[in-house]
């Protein structure tokens, strides 16, 4: 029996069961059941693009936990280091409801969940194979003190092992305040090689948040981060390095569901990094994968495979037979 190739990317965090409503929850109606989590969304996106990726974390010893693991396994994500919690903690749950156009309201039920108590001992073994990239988000350290310890321990171990650390700020204001986020994210920044943030999230990693974007980017680069990618939603994105800035416009699509677009963007950008393409090509792949997410419903369901990346370049109305 041949030994499986080691993962190119390791990520960890909480993946929850996701109930998606077709209208206002208070009016009842049918709900669709799936799974969602920022880190696992990125993992699925990378796996669909042909990369070897490992997700670590905890799920409850319940049917929803089984759904999470089954879904990730089916999508080609390595779950060897996923843990089924046997202490009675449940798998987390989120509810989404469309409220106005592409505006979606998300309600979380994750307090005391299995995924929220992930610890360094849970995730450090997943790095033993020395992947090329460790992907983290600012969601995990917001979940609990042990989850914050896990994020910092993993970033520290990765930096010492020469693994590229990608941090997507991904701020969730319902989980913590901006000041609390800054306190936790600043130590992670010191171990980060690639920072991804939306325009309003960039101040959360700064020692002095009240500066304009050019000064903020210069400050982050001066602290040792090699690359800063600022997501601008429908206006595209900009990647900054010590050599300058590269802009990329967003792909023009009819927006259906904006949830998960940022995770799709990250999966595309990391895919380009793994393929050793230049920054313009990384941004092109990132805005393309984000466009797939925006044009379809669900956090990850519409993400493309590698051979589908060129579909947006086909004339409108094309039928592929």
């Amino acid at each position: 029996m041949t030994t499986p190739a080691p993962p190119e990317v390791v990520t960890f965090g909480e993946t929850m069961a996701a109930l998606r409503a077709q209208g206002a929850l208070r009016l009842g109606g049918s709900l669709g059941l799936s799974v969602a989590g920022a880190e696992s969304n990125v993992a699925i996106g990378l796996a669909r693009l042909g990369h070897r990726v490992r997700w670590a974390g905890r799920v409850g010893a319940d049917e929803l936990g089984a759904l999470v693991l089954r879904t990730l396994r089916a999508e080609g994500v390595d779950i060897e280091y996923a843990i089924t919690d046997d202490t009675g903690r449940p798998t987390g749950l989120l509810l989404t409801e469309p409220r106005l156009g592409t505006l979606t309201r998300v309600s979380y039920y994750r307090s005391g969940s299995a995924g929220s108590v992930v610890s360094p001992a849970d995730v450090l073994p997943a790095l033993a194979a020395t992947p090329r990239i460790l992907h983290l988000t600012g969601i995990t350290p917001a979940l609990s003190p042990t989850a914050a310890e896990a994020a910092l321990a993993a970033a520290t171990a990765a930096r010492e092992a020469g693994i590229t650390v990608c941090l997507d700020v991904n701020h969730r204001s319902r989980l913590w305040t901006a000041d609390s986020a800054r306190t936790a994210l600043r130590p992670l920044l010191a171990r980060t090689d690639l920072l991804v943030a939306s325009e309003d999230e960039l101040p959360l990693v700064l020692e002095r948040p009240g500066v304009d974007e050019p000064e903020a980017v210069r400050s982050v680069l001066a602290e040792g981060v090699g690359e800063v990618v600022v997501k601008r939603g429908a206006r595209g994105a900009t990647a900054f390095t010590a050599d300058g800035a590269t802009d990329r416009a967003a792909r023009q699509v009819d927006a259906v569901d904006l949830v998960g677009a940022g995770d799709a963007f990250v999966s595309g950008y990391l895919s380009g990094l793994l393929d050793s393409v230049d920054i313009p090509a990384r941004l092109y792949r990132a805005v393309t994968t984000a466009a797939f997410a925006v044009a379809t419903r669900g956090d990850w369901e519409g993400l493309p495979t590698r051979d589908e990346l060129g579909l947006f370049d086909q004339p409108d109305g094309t039928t592929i037979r």
Side-chain angles (χ1 to χ4, degrees), residues 199 202-203 206 208-220:
E199 293 166 296
L202 194 55
L206 302 177
R208 296 185 302 110
V211 298
D212 61 14
E213 183 179 289
E215 178 60 29
V217 171
R218 283 194 294 270
S219 173
V220 172

Side-chain angles (χ1 to χ4, degrees), residues 84-141:
T84 299
D85 191 298
D86 60 1
T87 66
R89 296 186 182 94
T91 302
L93 176 68
L94 66 84
L95 303 174
T96 67
E97 53 177 329
R99 294 303 298 132
L100 182 64
T102 56
L103 188 153
T104 300
R105 183 160 57 199
V106 183
S107 301
Y108 296 98
Y109 299 86
R110 66 198 318 174
S111 178
S113 67
S116 69
V117 296
V118 64
S119 70
D122 297 332
V123 301
L124 289 178
L127 292 171
T130 316
R132 291 176 58 187
I133 296 173
L134 168 67
H135 172 62
L136 303 171
T137 78
I139 298 173
T140 299

Side-chain angles (χ1 to χ4, degrees), residues 69-228:
L69 298 182
R70 177 181 182 276
T71 301
L72 293 176
R73 187 185 301 110
E75 288 294 329
V77 176
D78 178 345
I79 57 169
E80 180 182 357
Y81 290 87
I83 296 171
T84 299
D85 191 298
D86 60 1
T87 66
R89 296 186 182 94
T91 302
L93 176 68
L94 66 84
L95 303 174
T96 67
E97 53 177 329
R99 294 303 298 132
L100 182 64
T102 56
L103 188 153
T104 300
R105 183 160 57 199
V106 183
S107 301
Y108 296 98
Y109 299 86
R110 66 198 318 174
S111 178
S113 67
S116 69
V117 296
V118 64
S119 70
D122 297 332
V123 301
L124 289 178
L127 292 171
T130 316
R132 291 176 58 187
I133 296 173
L134 168 67
H135 172 62
L136 303 171
T137 78
I139 298 173
T140 299
L143 299 179
S144 70
T146 60
E149 291 172 11
L152 185 57
T156 301
R159 172 57 68 92
E160 292 174 350
I163 299 167
T164 296
V165 177
C166 171
L167 172 62
D168 182 1
V169 174
N170 221 329
H171 182 58
R172 296 289 187 268
S173 58
R174 290 188 178 183
L175 290 177
W176 56 358
T177 65
D179 287 341
S180 296
R182 186 173 297 108
T183 298
L185 294 177
R186 288 285 299 162
L188 286 176
L189 186 71
R191 296 157 174 83
T192 295
D193 300 289
L194 167 60
L195 177 74
V196 182
S198 60
E199 293 166 296
D200 60 330
E201 291 172 340
L202 194 55
L204 296 176
V205 299
L206 302 177
E207 187 175 9
R208 296 185 302 110
V211 298
D212 61 14
E213 183 179 289
E215 178 60 29
V217 171
R218 283 194 294 270
S219 173
V220 172
L221 293 174
E223 292 192 56
V225 176
E227 202 167 327
V228 178

Side-chain angles (χ1 to χ4, degrees), residues 253-271:
V253 297
D254 293 329
V256 174
D257 184 357
L258 301 184
V259 177
D263 302 327
F265 177 96
V266 172
S267 69
Y269 198 87
L270 292 181
S271 173

